Amino acid sequence: MIITLLVLSSFIALAQTSLTDGIKLVEAKKFDEARKLFEDILKKDEKTAEAHYQIGRLLVIHYRDYSDAADHLEEAVDLDDANAEYHWMLGNAYGSKAREANIFSQLSLAGKVKDEFARAVQLNPKEVRYRTSLMGYYVQAPGIAGGSMSKAKEQASEILKLDAYSGHLAFAQIAAQEKELSVAEQEFKKAISVDPKKPR
């Protein structure tokens, strides 16, 4: 029993080291090497949620293989449902996949996008990225897919409390969508006044 526990502890420590090495490779923009390392981890233990997430993230951002990305990120979420980042990235994968799909598949995927962004916000309500993504969904999606300007404004108000700069940008996006260009202009100016050095 003790030997088994020691072996298991050694494997976990090795996996953690490999994950760290893989993340460093991503930071160094050595994406192919990083992907292979994460895949090697999964060959040893297919239930390593972080390895699924890291591969999924690479597939979304760098390889633009959204279908395979969604598969890996779904695995990550199944293995660790309480990780907000996993849900957020899965929502991004679904959204990117929807842009390449036919109209029928888009409607199905749209609901998944909203659900994943909403779950990320539920798990970590103070993360601006998650709320911004959910707000953007409400702005862009048609009503039949859950789009809602009132819900978008609710998210923008919460974003404004967390980060004034991002909050004003959120309200500017909403105003532009509603064709209230003078309001959008004022919101952009407010964002600039909050932080003039930011390029956005």
Side-chain angles (χ1 to χ4, degrees):
M1 181 68 177
I2 294 175
I3 293 174
T4 301
L5 288 173
L6 288 172
V7 170
L8 181 60
S9 297
S10 298
F11 176 77
I12 292 172
L14 180 61
Q16 289 298 326
T17 301
S18 297
L19 284 168
T20 301
D21 291 341
I23 292 168
K24 288 179 180 177
L25 287 170
V26 173
E27 292 170 350
K29 301 187 185 305
K30 297 179 179 180
F31 305 127
D32 291 342
E33 293 178 42
R35 180 177 178 178
K36 184 179 184 307
L37 192 152
F38 294 133
E39 288 173 343
D40 287 343
I41 293 173
L42 290 177
K43 287 176 183 176
K44 297 173 183 175
D45 182 5
E46 63 183 15
K47 295 190 179 298
T48 306
E50 183 67 14
H52 280 294
Y53 163 74
Q54 291 293 342
I55 292 175
R57 181 176 177 274
L58 281 172
L59 289 170
V60 169
I61 298 173
H62 302 292
Y63 294 96
R64 300 188 180 184
D65 184 347
Y66 307 122
S67 184
D68 282 351
D71 290 342
H72 277 287
L73 292 165
E74 285 168 358
E75 285 289 337
V77 165
D78 286 343
L79 292 164
D80 187 0
D81 180 64
N83 191 307
E85 191 75 9
Y86 293 178
H87 285 281
W88 179 70
M89 188 56 67
L90 179 54
N92 281 294
Y94 285 146
S96 297
K97 187 177 178 180
R99 283 192 285 272
E100 298 180 345
N102 60 47
I103 185 65
F104 301 106
S105 296
Q106 285 178 349
L107 287 174
S108 173
L109 288 165
K112 293 181 178 181
V113 173
K114 183 184 69 172
D115 290 346
E116 294 304 324
F117 287 160
R119 178 65 172 151
V121 169
Q122 180 187 32
L123 289 167
N124 187 356
K126 293 185 177 180
E127 177 54 59
V128 170
R129 290 176 302 144
Y130 305 159
R131 287 194 179 275
T132 298
S133 294
L134 184 57
M135 182 278 301
Y137 178 87
Y138 286 136
V139 168
Q140 296 173 17
I144 192 174
S148 168
M149 296 308 289
S150 63
K151 290 182 178 180
K153 290 173 183 177
E154 289 175 8
Q155 291 301 319
S157 295
E158 294 301 317
I159 294 168
L160 189 63
K161 295 174 187 176
L162 296 168
D163 178 359
Y165 178 81
S166 297
H168 288 303
L169 289 182
F171 276 112
Q173 183 179 343
I174 292 169
Q177 185 71 16
E178 294 183 320
K179 302 293 190 283
E180 296 179 351
L181 301 185
S182 62
V183 175
E185 180 183 2
Q186 290 305 312
E187 291 295 339
F188 281 126
K189 287 180 177 178
K190 289 177 183 177
I192 291 169
S193 69
V194 169
D195 193 340
K197 292 183 180 180
K198 285 192 175 180
R200 286 179 64 191

